[in-house]
Amino acid sequence: MVVTGAASGIGRAICLALAAAGRPVAAWDVNGEEARQTAARCAELHGVPSHAVEVDVTDWAAIERAVSGTEAALPSVGGLVHAAGVGLPGAVDDLDEQSWGSVVDVNLRAGALLVRALLPALRRAAPGSAVVAISSVEALVGHGALPAYCASKAGLLGLVRSLAHALGGEGIRVNAVCPGAVDTPMLAPLLAIPEARRMLEERIPIGWIARPEDVARVVRFLLSDEAAYVHGSSLVVDGGLTATA
Ligand SMILES: NC(=O)c1ccc[n+]([C@@H]2O[C@H](COP(=O)([O-])OP(=O)(O)OC[C@H]3O[C@@H](n4cnc5c(N)ncnc54)[C@H](O)[C@@H]3O)[C@@H](O)[C@H]2O)c1
């Protein structure tokens, strides 16, 4: 199983959740040192084959090298989770080509390139191989300070539906998860402001901010045969946030 964004937060938790279920894990991230830590923890705690790759998922040549290295290191690659993401805030007045590209290229464009690069491996493992894209509730509701982020995450849902149409017949399932607020380094600057954290918690019907593990377990379910008939879907994991706007 290839997991991008595996050096931190949700991606790391997904690697550990998969390893706990006995699944081999390839931890991909632009932060190679922390990706290696994730892979090492998977092997130490759960005894699964694991592999780490330092890779910028916006770089096609780097992705191709990462695929080769991973196929050589693991017994098989039965799936992909695209959890690498960036959430650069900046209102529409501040948009420029570079800031737009830096968000959309990681969050959306890379999702398509990764599936393209891993298709031969996913086909070899089918039926039973699966892809999960980590989108966001910001694919569903707009946020004025995050135009590129909202667009990229909504785009991922379109990509998932297209891939589901294309690949379902080959036994490759494709789904998305839309997390709400999750306590990771991405959200840390906001959560460090006590008033902001309190206001956020008050808006979430379930009353608390998710831990990365809360999202990881849902992703593990979508990758498993338990979800054999879940395809082309997006699963909201937000403690009720978007149910009660
Ligand atoms: N934290 C939240 O509240 C929240 C909510 C909804 C969705 N998400 C999404 O969940 C995913 C994981 O986010 P997180 O909260 O764990 O954030 P995080 O910042 O802890 O982790 C993101 C990881 O992506 C990696 N990454 C960034 N650019 C990369 C690139 N070009 N190539 C390879 N790796 C790259 C980073 O190095 C980092 O390890 C993201 O897609 C994010 O948009 C997060």
Side-chain angles (χ1 to χ4, degrees):
M1 195 70 59
V2 169
V3 180
T4 71
S8 178
I10 294 171
R12 171 172 277 172
I14 291 167
C15 289
L16 288 163
L18 290 169
R23 301 195 73 159
V25 170
W28 290 18
D29 203 287
V30 72
N31 183 340
E33 182 48 42
E34 288 298 321
R36 282 187 282 279
Q37 294 280 343
T38 300
R41 257 196 252 172
C42 289
E44 282 161 21
L45 292 175
H46 304 295
V48 295
S50 73
H51 179 61
V53 184
E54 181 173 325
V55 56
D56 178 347
V57 295
T58 65
D59 178 345
W60 172 251
I63 291 175
E64 285 193 309
R65 284 194 299 276
V67 171
S68 306
T70 297
E71 289 193 303
L74 294 186
S76 74
V77 179
L80 164 70
V81 182
H82 180 41
V86 287
L88 200 66
V92 66
D93 301 79
D94 305 321
L95 266 186
D96 55 32
E97 282 179 71
Q98 205 203 332
S99 62
W100 177 268
S102 67
V103 173
V104 175
D105 286 358
V106 177
N107 294 0
L108 176 57
R109 180 172 161 274
L113 295 181
L114 287 159
V115 173
R116 169 73 190 83
L118 285 164
L119 257 186
L122 294 171
R123 284 185 168 130
R124 277 196 297 278
S129 52
V131 175
V132 174
I134 306 300
S135 177
S136 169
V137 290
E138 260 118 19
L140 311 172
V141 294
H143 192 307
L146 299 167
Y149 188 78
C150 291
S152 67
K153 295 298 186 179
L156 261 186
L157 300 187
L159 176 67
V160 160
R161 289 189 284 265
S162 170
L163 294 172
H165 189 213
L167 301 176
E170 297 189 52
I172 303 171
R173 290 184 304 102
V174 188
N175 291 289
V177 168
C178 297
V182 189
D183 195 346
T184 72
M186 182 180 277
L187 214 61
L190 180 75
L191 298 181
I193 306 165
E195 182 62 6
R197 176 185 268 271
R198 191 186 56 75
M199 283 170 63
L200 186 55
E201 283 168 347
E202 279 175 9
R203 283 179 53 214
I204 301 169
I206 215 164
W208 43 277
I209 290 159
R211 299 153 301 184
E213 296 76 22
D214 296 314
V215 178
R217 282 192 292 270
V218 175
V219 173
R220 182 173 67 189
F221 160 72
L222 286 174
L223 293 168
S224 77
D225 290 341
E226 298 291 307
Y229 205 65
V230 186
H231 182 51
S233 293
S234 53
L235 224 161
V236 176
V237 185
D238 71 349
L241 183 65
T242 53
T244 56

PDB file of all heavy atoms in Angstrom, residues 16-55:
ATOM      1  N   LEU A  16       0.209   3.540  10.030  1.00  0.00           N
ATOM      2  CA  LEU A  16       0.211   2.725  11.251  1.00  0.00           C
ATOM      3  C   LEU A  16      -1.060   1.886  11.359  1.00  0.00           C
ATOM      4  O   LEU A  16      -1.004   0.729  11.798  1.00  0.00           O
ATOM      5  CB  LEU A  16       0.382   3.629  12.480  1.00  0.00           C
ATOM      6  CG  LEU A  16       1.799   4.195  12.608  1.00  0.00           C
ATOM      7  CD1 LEU A  16       1.847   5.390  13.563  1.00  0.00           C
ATOM      8  CD2 LEU A  16       2.769   3.109  13.085  1.00  0.00           C
ATOM      9  N   ALA A  17      -2.192   2.440  10.930  1.00  0.00           N
ATOM     10  CA  ALA A  17      -3.451   1.673  10.980  1.00  0.00           C
ATOM     11  C   ALA A  17      -3.397   0.491  10.012  1.00  0.00           C
ATOM     12  O   ALA A  17      -3.867  -0.609  10.325  1.00  0.00           O
ATOM     13  CB  ALA A  17      -4.626   2.590  10.642  1.00  0.00           C
ATOM     14  N   LEU A  18      -2.825   0.724   8.838  1.00  0.00           N
ATOM     15  CA  LEU A  18      -2.707  -0.366   7.853  1.00  0.00           C
ATOM     16  C   LEU A  18      -1.736  -1.436   8.358  1.00  0.00           C
ATOM     17  O   LEU A  18      -2.001  -2.639   8.250  1.00  0.00           O
ATOM     18  CB  LEU A  18      -2.232   0.188   6.509  1.00  0.00           C
ATOM     19  CG  LEU A  18      -3.259   1.050   5.763  1.00  0.00           C
ATOM     20  CD1 LEU A  18      -2.609   1.772   4.590  1.00  0.00           C
ATOM     21  CD2 LEU A  18      -4.421   0.192   5.277  1.00  0.00           C
ATOM     22  N   ALA A  19      -0.618  -0.979   8.918  1.00  0.00           N
ATOM     23  CA  ALA A  19       0.370  -1.930   9.439  1.00  0.00           C
ATOM     24  C   ALA A  19      -0.240  -2.766  10.567  1.00  0.00           C
ATOM     25  O   ALA A  19       0.012  -3.977  10.660  1.00  0.00           O
ATOM     26  CB  ALA A  19       1.601  -1.174   9.936  1.00  0.00           C
ATOM     27  N   ALA A  20      -1.082  -2.130  11.395  1.00  0.00           N
ATOM     28  CA  ALA A  20      -1.727  -2.865  12.498  1.00  0.00           C
ATOM     29  C   ALA A  20      -2.626  -3.972  11.964  1.00  0.00           C
ATOM     30  O   ALA A  20      -2.875  -4.955  12.660  1.00  0.00           O
ATOM     31  CB  ALA A  20      -2.534  -1.889  13.363  1.00  0.00           C
ATOM     32  N   ALA A  21      -3.111  -3.808  10.731  1.00  0.00           N
ATOM     33  CA  ALA A  21      -3.947  -4.844  10.110  1.00  0.00           C
ATOM     34  C   ALA A  21      -3.098  -5.804   9.278  1.00  0.00           C
ATOM     35  O   ALA A  21      -3.630  -6.613   8.509  1.00  0.00           O
ATOM     36  CB  ALA A  21      -5.020  -4.193   9.236  1.00  0.00           C
ATOM     37  N   GLY A  22      -1.782  -5.670   9.375  1.00  0.00           N
ATOM     38  CA  GLY A  22      -0.881  -6.610   8.712  1.00  0.00           C
ATOM     39  C   GLY A  22      -0.564  -6.276   7.269  1.00  0.00           C
ATOM     40  O   GLY A  22      -0.001  -7.101   6.547  1.00  0.00           O
ATOM     41  N   ARG A  23      -0.880  -5.053   6.847  1.00  0.00           N
ATOM     42  CA  ARG A  23      -0.649  -4.708   5.442  1.00  0.00           C
ATOM     43  C   ARG A  23       0.723  -4.055   5.256  1.00  0.00           C
ATOM     44  O   ARG A  23       1.087  -3.135   5.998  1.00  0.00           O
ATOM     45  CB  ARG A  23      -1.758  -3.779   4.951  1.00  0.00           C
ATOM     46  CG  ARG A  23      -3.137  -4.424   5.093  1.00  0.00           C
ATOM     47  CD  ARG A  23      -4.192  -3.715   4.297  1.00  0.00           C
ATOM     48  NE  ARG A  23      -4.038  -3.974   2.877  1.00  0.00           N
ATOM     49  CZ  ARG A  23      -5.023  -3.824   1.986  1.00  0.00           C
ATOM     50  NH1 ARG A  23      -6.211  -3.427   2.375  1.00  0.00           N
ATOM     51  NH2 ARG A  23      -4.814  -4.068   0.709  1.00  0.00           N
ATOM     52  N   PRO A  24       1.490  -4.509   4.247  1.00  0.00           N
ATOM     53  CA  PRO A  24       2.769  -3.858   3.941  1.00  0.00           C
ATOM     54  C   PRO A  24       2.544  -2.395   3.547  1.00  0.00           C
ATOM     55  O   PRO A  24       1.536  -2.078   2.919  1.00  0.00           O
ATOM     56  CB  PRO A  24       3.295  -4.658   2.740  1.00  0.00           C
ATOM     57  CG  PRO A  24       2.554  -5.959   2.777  1.00  0.00           C
ATOM     58  CD  PRO A  24       1.216  -5.652   3.373  1.00  0.00           C
ATOM     59  N   VAL A  25       3.468  -1.532   3.922  1.00  0.00           N
ATOM     60  CA  VAL A  25       3.265  -0.094   3.756  1.00  0.00           C
ATOM     61  C   VAL A  25       4.487   0.553   3.106  1.00  0.00           C
ATOM     62  O   VAL A  25       5.619   0.288   3.500  1.00  0.00           O
ATOM     63  CB  VAL A  25       3.028   0.560   5.144  1.00  0.00           C
ATOM     64  CG1 VAL A  25       3.064   2.072   5.031  1.00  0.00           C
ATOM     65  CG2 VAL A  25       1.695   0.113   5.738  1.00  0.00           C
ATOM     66  N   ALA A  26       4.227   1.411   2.115  1.00  0.00           N
ATOM     67  CA  ALA A  26       5.278   2.272   1.572  1.00  0.00           C
ATOM     68  C   ALA A  26       4.939   3.706   1.948  1.00  0.00           C
ATOM     69  O   ALA A  26       3.912   4.245   1.523  1.00  0.00           O
ATOM     70  CB  ALA A  26       5.357   2.131   0.058  1.00  0.00           C
ATOM     71  N   ALA A  27       5.792   4.307   2.771  1.00  0.00           N
ATOM     72  CA  ALA A  27       5.563   5.658   3.287  1.00  0.00           C
ATOM     73  C   ALA A  27       6.283   6.651   2.378  1.00  0.00           C
ATOM     74  O   ALA A  27       7.504   6.723   2.378  1.00  0.00           O
ATOM     75  CB  ALA A  27       6.089   5.754   4.717  1.00  0.00           C
ATOM     76  N   TRP A  28       5.497   7.389   1.600  1.00  0.00           N
ATOM     77  CA  TRP A  28       6.071   8.372   0.662  1.00  0.00           C
ATOM     78  C   TRP A  28       5.848   9.779   1.209  1.00  0.00           C
ATOM     79  O   TRP A  28       4.737  10.124   1.627  1.00  0.00           O
ATOM     80  CB  TRP A  28       5.374   8.298  -0.697  1.00  0.00           C
ATOM     81  CG  TRP A  28       5.618   7.090  -1.518  1.00  0.00           C
ATOM     82  CD1 TRP A  28       6.104   5.882  -1.127  1.00  0.00           C
ATOM     83  CD2 TRP A  28       5.344   6.967  -2.924  1.00  0.00           C
ATOM     84  NE1 TRP A  28       6.154   5.023  -2.190  1.00  0.00           N
ATOM     85  CE2 TRP A  28       5.700   5.663  -3.304  1.00  0.00           C
ATOM     86  CE3 TRP A  28       4.838   7.829  -3.887  1.00  0.00           C
ATOM     87  CZ2 TRP A  28       5.560   5.196  -4.617  1.00  0.00           C
ATOM     88  CZ3 TRP A  28       4.688   7.381  -5.192  1.00  0.00           C
ATOM     89  CH2 TRP A  28       5.059   6.081  -5.548  1.00  0.00           C
ATOM     90  N   ASP A  29       6.896  10.598   1.125  1.00  0.00           N
ATOM     91  CA  ASP A  29       6.743  12.000   1.545  1.00  0.00           C
ATOM     92  C   ASP A  29       7.949  12.795   1.044  1.00  0.00           C
ATOM     93  O   ASP A  29       9.036  12.245   0.861  1.00  0.00           O
ATOM     94  CB  ASP A  29       6.646  12.105   3.082  1.00  0.00           C
ATOM     95  CG  ASP A  29       5.949  13.377   3.539  1.00  0.00           C
ATOM     96  OD1 ASP A  29       6.553  14.464   3.433  1.00  0.00           O
ATOM     97  OD2 ASP A  29       4.785  13.300   3.977  1.00  0.00           O
ATOM     98  N   VAL A  30       7.751  14.081   0.875  1.00  0.00           N
ATOM     99  CA  VAL A  30       8.860  14.957   0.516  1.00  0.00           C
ATOM    100  C   VAL A  30       9.817  15.081   1.712  1.00  0.00           C
ATOM    101  O   VAL A  30      11.001  15.380   1.521  1.00  0.00           O
ATOM    102  CB  VAL A  30       8.313  16.340   0.039  1.00  0.00           C
ATOM    103  CG1 VAL A  30       7.753  17.153   1.199  1.00  0.00           C
ATOM    104  CG2 VAL A  30       9.356  17.120  -0.740  1.00  0.00           C
ATOM    105  N   ASN A  31       9.318  14.825   2.905  1.00  0.00           N
ATOM    106  CA  ASN A  31      10.139  14.809   4.117  1.00  0.00           C
ATOM    107  C   ASN A  31      10.625  13.366   4.340  1.00  0.00           C
ATOM    108  O   ASN A  31       9.976  12.560   5.007  1.00  0.00           O
ATOM    109  CB  ASN A  31       9.307  15.305   5.307  1.00  0.00           C
ATOM    110  CG  ASN A  31      10.113  15.379   6.592  1.00  0.00           C
ATOM    111  OD1 ASN A  31      11.159  14.746   6.722  1.00  0.00           O
ATOM    112  ND2 ASN A  31       9.621  16.138   7.547  1.00  0.00           N
ATOM    113  N   GLY A  32      11.798  13.061   3.756  1.00  0.00           N
ATOM    114  CA  GLY A  32      12.295  11.687   3.763  1.00  0.00           C
ATOM    115  C   GLY A  32      12.610  11.177   5.151  1.00  0.00           C
ATOM    116  O   GLY A  32      12.335  10.017   5.483  1.00  0.00           O
ATOM    117  N   GLU A  33      13.177  12.036   6.008  1.00  0.00           N
ATOM    118  CA  GLU A  33      13.586  11.593   7.344  1.00  0.00           C
ATOM    119  C   GLU A  33      12.367  11.124   8.146  1.00  0.00           C
ATOM    120  O   GLU A  33      12.372  10.035   8.738  1.00  0.00           O
ATOM    121  CB  GLU A  33      14.312  12.758   8.054  1.00  0.00           C
ATOM    122  CG  GLU A  33      14.842  12.422   9.427  1.00  0.00           C
ATOM    123  CD  GLU A  33      15.626  11.103   9.468  1.00  0.00           C
ATOM    124  OE1 GLU A  33      16.423  10.854   8.539  1.00  0.00           O
ATOM    125  OE2 GLU A  33      15.404  10.310  10.411  1.00  0.00           O
ATOM    126  N   GLU A  34      11.301  11.923   8.116  1.00  0.00           N
ATOM    127  CA  GLU A  34      10.102  11.554   8.891  1.00  0.00           C
ATOM    128  C   GLU A  34       9.348  10.383   8.233  1.00  0.00           C
ATOM    129  O   GLU A  34       8.722   9.583   8.928  1.00  0.00           O
ATOM    130  CB  GLU A  34       9.172  12.771   9.058  1.00  0.00           C
ATOM    131  CG  GLU A  34       9.707  13.821  10.022  1.00  0.00           C
ATOM    132  CD  GLU A  34       9.892  13.301  11.451  1.00  0.00           C
ATOM    133  OE1 GLU A  34       9.037  12.534  11.913  1.00  0.00           O
ATOM    134  OE2 GLU A  34      10.904  13.654  12.086  1.00  0.00           O
ATOM    135  N   ALA A  35       9.442  10.280   6.911  1.00  0.00           N
ATOM    136  CA  ALA A  35       8.828   9.122   6.239  1.00  0.00           C
ATOM    137  C   ALA A  35       9.535   7.839   6.679  1.00  0.00           C
ATOM    138  O   ALA A  35       8.896   6.801   6.919  1.00  0.00           O
ATOM    139  CB  ALA A  35       8.900   9.286   4.727  1.00  0.00           C
ATOM    140  N   ARG A  36      10.858   7.930   6.819  1.00  0.00           N
ATOM    141  CA  ARG A  36      11.615   6.752   7.286  1.00  0.00           C
ATOM    142  C   ARG A  36      11.211   6.384   8.715  1.00  0.00           C
ATOM    143  O   ARG A  36      11.109   5.209   9.069  1.00  0.00           O
ATOM    144  CB  ARG A  36      13.130   7.018   7.184  1.00  0.00           C
ATOM    145  CG  ARG A  36      13.662   6.871   5.752  1.00  0.00           C
ATOM    146  CD  ARG A  36      15.182   6.973   5.668  1.00  0.00           C
ATOM    147  NE  ARG A  36      15.655   8.340   5.743  1.00  0.00           N
ATOM    148  CZ  ARG A  36      15.677   9.204   4.727  1.00  0.00           C
ATOM    149  NH1 ARG A  36      15.253   8.830   3.531  1.00  0.00           N
ATOM    150  NH2 ARG A  36      16.122  10.435   4.880  1.00  0.00           N
ATOM    151  N   GLN A  37      10.961   7.415   9.542  1.00  0.00           N
ATOM    152  CA  GLN A  37      10.490   7.151  10.913  1.00  0.00           C
ATOM    153  C   GLN A  37       9.156   6.405  10.887  1.00  0.00           C
ATOM    154  O   GLN A  37       8.929   5.475  11.659  1.00  0.00           O
ATOM    155  CB  GLN A  37      10.276   8.478  11.661  1.00  0.00           C
ATOM    156  CG  GLN A  37      11.530   9.264  11.923  1.00  0.00           C
ATOM    157  CD  GLN A  37      12.279   8.730  13.125  1.00  0.00           C
ATOM    158  OE1 GLN A  37      11.710   7.992  13.916  1.00  0.00           O
ATOM    159  NE2 GLN A  37      13.550   9.057  13.227  1.00  0.00           N
ATOM    160  N   THR A  38       8.256   6.841  10.000  1.00  0.00           N
ATOM    161  CA  THR A  38       6.946   6.181   9.901  1.00  0.00           C
ATOM    162  C   THR A  38       7.122   4.719   9.510  1.00  0.00           C
ATOM    163  O   THR A  38       6.538   3.818  10.124  1.00  0.00           O
ATOM    164  CB  THR A  38       6.061   6.891   8.851  1.00  0.00           C
ATOM    165  OG1 THR A  38       5.880   8.245   9.241  1.00  0.00           O
ATOM    166  CG2 THR A  38       4.703   6.215   8.720  1.00  0.00           C
ATOM    167  N   ALA A  39       7.925   4.489   8.472  1.00  0.00           N
ATOM    168  CA  ALA A  39       8.130   3.118   7.988  1.00  0.00           C
ATOM    169  C   ALA A  39       8.760   2.258   9.080  1.00  0.00           C
ATOM    170  O   ALA A  39       8.361   1.094   9.293  1.00  0.00           O
ATOM    171  CB  ALA A  39       9.001   3.131   6.742  1.00  0.00           C
ATOM    172  N   ALA A  40       9.721   2.841   9.797  1.00  0.00           N
ATOM    173  CA  ALA A  40      10.392   2.083  10.860  1.00  0.00           C
ATOM    174  C   ALA A  40       9.397   1.708  11.951  1.00  0.00           C
ATOM    175  O   ALA A  40       9.396   0.577  12.464  1.00  0.00           O
ATOM    176  CB  ALA A  40      11.535   2.914  11.447  1.00  0.00           C
ATOM    177  N   ARG A  41       8.510   2.651  12.316  1.00  0.00           N
ATOM    178  CA  ARG A  41       7.512   2.369  13.366  1.00  0.00           C
ATOM    179  C   ARG A  41       6.551   1.268  12.925  1.00  0.00           C
ATOM    180  O   ARG A  41       6.159   0.413  13.728  1.00  0.00           O
ATOM    181  CB  ARG A  41       6.721   3.632  13.688  1.00  0.00           C
ATOM    182  CG  ARG A  41       7.186   4.257  14.988  1.00  0.00           C
ATOM    183  CD  ARG A  41       6.184   5.258  15.494  1.00  0.00           C
ATOM    184  NE  ARG A  41       6.708   6.603  15.320  1.00  0.00           N
ATOM    185  CZ  ARG A  41       6.010   7.703  15.521  1.00  0.00           C
ATOM    186  NH1 ARG A  41       4.735   7.638  15.872  1.00  0.00           N
ATOM    187  NH2 ARG A  41       6.560   8.884  15.372  1.00  0.00           N
ATOM    188  N   CYS A  42       6.164   1.296  11.643  1.00  0.00           N
ATOM    189  CA  CYS A  42       5.252   0.248  11.137  1.00  0.00           C
ATOM    190  C   CYS A  42       5.891  -1.129  11.298  1.00  0.00           C
ATOM    191  O   CYS A  42       5.248  -2.090  11.727  1.00  0.00           O
ATOM    192  CB  CYS A  42       4.924   0.495   9.658  1.00  0.00           C
ATOM    193  SG  CYS A  42       3.856   1.896   9.386  1.00  0.00           S
ATOM    194  N   ALA A  43       7.178  -1.207  10.933  1.00  0.00           N
ATOM    195  CA  ALA A  43       7.874  -2.495  11.015  1.00  0.00           C
ATOM    196  C   ALA A  43       8.080  -2.922  12.466  1.00  0.00           C
ATOM    197  O   ALA A  43       7.844  -4.076  12.826  1.00  0.00           O
ATOM    198  CB  ALA A  43       9.219  -2.389  10.292  1.00  0.00           C
ATOM    199  N   GLU A  44       8.510  -1.958  13.318  1.00  0.00           N
ATOM    200  CA  GLU A  44       8.811  -2.305  14.723  1.00  0.00           C
ATOM    201  C   GLU A  44       7.558  -2.703  15.487  1.00  0.00           C
ATOM    202  O   GLU A  44       7.542  -3.693  16.220  1.00  0.00           O
ATOM    203  CB  GLU A  44       9.450  -1.105  15.432  1.00  0.00           C
ATOM    204  CG  GLU A  44      10.911  -0.906  15.109  1.00  0.00           C
ATOM    205  CD  GLU A  44      11.373   0.510  15.439  1.00  0.00           C
ATOM    206  OE1 GLU A  44      10.704   1.186  16.252  1.00  0.00           O
ATOM    207  OE2 GLU A  44      12.389   0.936  14.857  1.00  0.00           O
ATOM    208  N   LEU A  45       6.493  -1.910  15.322  1.00  0.00           N
ATOM    209  CA  LEU A  45       5.281  -2.144  16.126  1.00  0.00           C
ATOM    210  C   LEU A  45       4.461  -3.312  15.606  1.00  0.00           C
ATOM    211  O   LEU A  45       3.810  -4.010  16.376  1.00  0.00           O
ATOM    212  CB  LEU A  45       4.394  -0.888  16.138  1.00  0.00           C
ATOM    213  CG  LEU A  45       4.943   0.330  16.881  1.00  0.00           C
ATOM    214  CD1 LEU A  45       4.021   1.535  16.694  1.00  0.00           C
ATOM    215  CD2 LEU A  45       5.074   0.016  18.368  1.00  0.00           C
ATOM    216  N   HIS A  46       4.476  -3.516  14.284  1.00  0.00           N
ATOM    217  CA  HIS A  46       3.518  -4.470  13.714  1.00  0.00           C
ATOM    218  C   HIS A  46       4.155  -5.561  12.846  1.00  0.00           C
ATOM    219  O   HIS A  46       3.446  -6.408  12.311  1.00  0.00           O
ATOM    220  CB  HIS A  46       2.456  -3.712  12.914  1.00  0.00           C
ATOM    221  CG  HIS A  46       1.750  -2.667  13.736  1.00  0.00           C
ATOM    222  ND1 HIS A  46       0.959  -2.986  14.822  1.00  0.00           N
ATOM    223  CD2 HIS A  46       1.745  -1.308  13.666  1.00  0.00           C
ATOM    224  CE1 HIS A  46       0.479  -1.872  15.363  1.00  0.00           C
ATOM    225  NE2 HIS A  46       0.951  -0.842  14.693  1.00  0.00           N
ATOM    226  N   GLY A  47       5.478  -5.487  12.669  1.00  0.00           N
ATOM    227  CA  GLY A  47       6.195  -6.554  11.974  1.00  0.00           C
ATOM    228  C   GLY A  47       5.841  -6.717  10.507  1.00  0.00           C
ATOM    229  O   GLY A  47       6.011  -7.801   9.946  1.00  0.00           O
ATOM    230  N   VAL A  48       5.360  -5.661   9.878  1.00  0.00           N
ATOM    231  CA  VAL A  48       5.017  -5.760   8.445  1.00  0.00           C
ATOM    232  C   VAL A  48       6.191  -5.281   7.593  1.00  0.00           C
ATOM    233  O   VAL A  48       7.006  -4.475   8.044  1.00  0.00           O
ATOM    234  CB  VAL A  48       3.770  -4.909   8.095  1.00  0.00           C
ATOM    235  CG1 VAL A  48       2.539  -5.433   8.801  1.00  0.00           C
ATOM    236  CG2 VAL A  48       4.002  -3.430   8.410  1.00  0.00           C
ATOM    237  N   PRO A  49       6.279  -5.760   6.327  1.00  0.00           N
ATOM    238  CA  PRO A  49       7.258  -5.170   5.419  1.00  0.00           C
ATOM    239  C   PRO A  49       6.927  -3.686   5.241  1.00  0.00           C
ATOM    240  O   PRO A  49       5.759  -3.339   5.052  1.00  0.00           O
ATOM    241  CB  PRO A  49       7.046  -5.931   4.105  1.00  0.00           C
ATOM    242  CG  PRO A  49       6.286  -7.164   4.474  1.00  0.00           C
ATOM    243  CD  PRO A  49       5.485  -6.820   5.690  1.00  0.00           C
ATOM    244  N   SER A  50       7.935  -2.832   5.336  1.00  0.00           N
ATOM    245  CA  SER A  50       7.675  -1.410   5.140  1.00  0.00           C
ATOM    246  C   SER A  50       8.842  -0.792   4.382  1.00  0.00           C
ATOM    247  O   SER A  50       9.953  -1.319   4.378  1.00  0.00           O
ATOM    248  CB  SER A  50       7.464  -0.702   6.483  1.00  0.00           C
ATOM    249  OG  SER A  50       8.695  -0.572   7.152  1.00  0.00           O
ATOM    250  N   HIS A  51       8.549   0.345   3.758  1.00  0.00           N
ATOM    251  CA  HIS A  51       9.531   0.976   2.891  1.00  0.00           C
ATOM    252  C   HIS A  51       9.266   2.476   2.921  1.00  0.00           C
ATOM    253  O   HIS A  51       8.104   2.886   2.984  1.00  0.00           O
ATOM    254  CB  HIS A  51       9.340   0.417   1.466  1.00  0.00           C
ATOM    255  CG  HIS A  51      10.273   0.995   0.460  1.00  0.00           C
ATOM    256  ND1 HIS A  51      11.635   0.872   0.546  1.00  0.00           N
ATOM    257  CD2 HIS A  51      10.039   1.700  -0.677  1.00  0.00           C
ATOM    258  CE1 HIS A  51      12.195   1.468  -0.502  1.00  0.00           C
ATOM    259  NE2 HIS A  51      11.249   1.981  -1.253  1.00  0.00           N
ATOM    260  N   ALA A  52      10.317   3.280   2.900  1.00  0.00           N
ATOM    261  CA  ALA A  52      10.138   4.734   2.890  1.00  0.00           C
ATOM    262  C   ALA A  52      10.740   5.321   1.616  1.00  0.00           C
ATOM    263  O   ALA A  52      11.777   4.854   1.155  1.00  0.00           O
ATOM    264  CB  ALA A  52      10.816   5.349   4.107  1.00  0.00           C
ATOM    265  N   VAL A  53      10.080   6.314   1.077  1.00  0.00           N
ATOM    266  CA  VAL A  53      10.594   6.981  -0.115  1.00  0.00           C
ATOM    267  C   VAL A  53      10.494   8.489   0.072  1.00  0.00           C
ATOM    268  O   VAL A  53       9.421   9.001   0.427  1.00  0.00           O
ATOM    269  CB  VAL A  53       9.787   6.608  -1.384  1.00  0.00           C
ATOM    270  CG1 VAL A  53      10.415   7.246  -2.624  1.00  0.00           C
ATOM    271  CG2 VAL A  53       9.700   5.107  -1.550  1.00  0.00           C
ATOM    272  N   GLU A  54      11.614   9.175  -0.168  1.00  0.00           N
ATOM    273  CA  GLU A  54      11.577  10.641  -0.203  1.00  0.00           C
ATOM    274  C   GLU A  54      11.191  11.048  -1.614  1.00  0.00           C
ATOM    275  O   GLU A  54      11.935  10.775  -2.562  1.00  0.00           O
ATOM    276  CB  GLU A  54      12.950  11.204   0.169  1.00  0.00           C
ATOM    277  CG  GLU A  54      12.983  12.718   0.183  1.00  0.00           C
ATOM    278  CD  GLU A  54      14.311  13.241   0.711  1.00  0.00           C
ATOM    279  OE1 GLU A  54      14.904  12.619   1.622  1.00  0.00           O
ATOM    280  OE2 GLU A  54      14.763  14.277   0.180  1.00  0.00           O
ATOM    281  N   VAL A  55      10.025  11.646  -1.760  1.00  0.00           N
ATOM    282  CA  VAL A  55       9.527  11.959  -3.104  1.00  0.00           C
ATOM    283  C   VAL A  55       8.650  13.204  -3.063  1.00  0.00           C
ATOM    284  O   VAL A  55       7.820  13.355  -2.160  1.00  0.00           O
ATOM    285  CB  VAL A  55       8.735  10.753  -3.683  1.00  0.00           C
ATOM    286  CG1 VAL A  55       7.596  10.312  -2.784  1.00  0.00           C
ATOM    287  CG2 VAL A  55       8.191  11.054  -5.078  1.00  0.00           C
TER     288      VAL A  55
END
